[in-house]
Amino acid sequence: ESTVDWRAVDEYFASTLLQEDGALVAARNAGLATTMPNAEVAANQGAFLKLLAQISGARRVLEFGTLAGYSTIWLARAVGEQGQVVTLELEPENAAIAEENFLAAGVAHRIETIIGPATESAERLINDATEAFDFVFIDADKPNNPAYLAAALRLTCPGAIIVIDNVVRDGAVAEAASADPRVQGVRRVAEDIAAHPELDGTALQTVGEKGWDGLIIARRH
Ligand code: SAM
């Protein structure tokens, strides 16, 4: 039986397969100076988001939860020179750190960071009749997942991809009676996706340096 662990496997694949350059490493390290250290996606998950966005041909990405902009940089690279990422962040200090990282990564011109509660920022985007997004990454405060899905549905067209992070939570998602509002936020958003006639969705469990967690991936048809 192998004696290596999930972290070692993540490190192996990250060092073998991924193109995590200095700007991404700096953005990951900058996460330590934010209000939520170590809350960014793992490198292989960032690369997965980039591939998903590219596979779907995404040009306009909406992100809930910026932190230091680590996932945002992966997504900004996915959309290419003609693309745009709008990222929503509650904490001004996190947004300031992220914007430095966007400049260092050479993608600041493709990214708009909106500071404030994401429900309010999304409401403004809806009221402003913002051009539709084709890829949405939901990774902010988990109790608000259902509200973020509802906003995403008002800001996307058929064909859009919606990805939701941290949906397994060490298995806690399977506990129907959980008192954790983050778990209930995941369970409710999963039910909302299941009930929505225009959404096909699935969930993938992940293990790695971030422990046992997972992603919901949904497509609007
Ligand atoms: N997507 C980032 C990445 O992978 O690099 C990680 C985001 S971190 C898990 C969650 C972020 O959501 C934090 O920066 C936190 O400040 C932000 N956040 C929490 N509540 C929020 C709210 N109500 N509106 C917008 N952002 C919020």
Side-chain angles (χ1 to χ4, degrees):
E1 194 172 300
S2 172
T3 54
V4 295
D5 61 12
W6 301 339
R7 179 179 296 272
V9 173
D10 260 6
E11 282 170 8
Y12 165 67
F13 280 123
S15 63
T16 307
L17 276 177
L18 306 185
Q19 306 88 38
E20 198 191 31
D21 63 2
L24 280 168
V25 172
R28 183 147 47 77
N29 291 335
L32 296 172
T34 64
T35 59
M36 284 185 76
N38 295 313
E40 67 282 336
V41 296
N44 56 9
Q45 294 165 344
F48 181 67
L49 289 174
K50 181 182 178 200
L51 281 170
L52 264 187
Q54 289 179 321
I55 290 165
S56 67
R59 281 286 166 264
R60 286 182 51 76
V61 172
L62 175 63
E63 176 177 66
F64 292 81
T66 316
L67 197 66
Y70 181 78
S71 55
T72 326
I73 293 171
W74 280 104
L75 290 165
R77 289 181 171 167
V79 297
E81 213 31 76
Q82 305 308 315
Q84 207 204 357
V85 180
V86 176
T87 184
L88 312 181
E89 171 58 44
L90 178 65
E91 305 286 351
E93 61 199 275
N94 296 352
I97 292 169
E99 280 174 354
E100 281 176 31
N101 291 325
F102 301 155
L103 284 170
V107 289
H109 57 291
R110 296 179 204 167
I111 301 172
E112 181 186 358
T113 308
I114 305 180
I115 298 168
T119 44
E120 292 176 17
S121 302
E123 199 58 42
R124 273 204 305 281
L125 292 172
I126 293 163
N127 291 338
D128 291 350
T130 306
E131 187 185 339
F133 295 93
D134 35 35
F135 191 100
V136 181
F137 181 46
I138 299 178
D139 188 22
D141 49 323
K142 313 306 169 179
N144 265 325
N145 276 341
Y148 298 152
L149 176 70
L153 287 166
R154 296 179 65 190
L155 288 162
T156 54
C157 292
I161 305 294
I162 299 170
V163 179
I164 308 175
D165 198 17
N166 307 121
V167 301
V168 174
R169 317 200 68 82
D170 284 319
V173 69
E175 293 166 17
S178 171
D180 184 337
R182 297 167 301 180
V183 169
Q184 293 304 336
V186 173
R187 291 180 63 92
R188 278 206 305 280
V189 83
E191 287 157 21
D192 291 349
I193 290 170
H196 197 287
E198 290 176 20
L199 290 175
D200 294 324
T202 190
L204 292 179
Q205 300 187 62
T206 58
V207 294
E209 61 177 60
K210 302 287 174 175
W212 177 23
D213 217 325
L215 301 164
I216 284 177
I217 303 169
R219 180 178 180 275
R220 183 172 198 172
H221 59 80

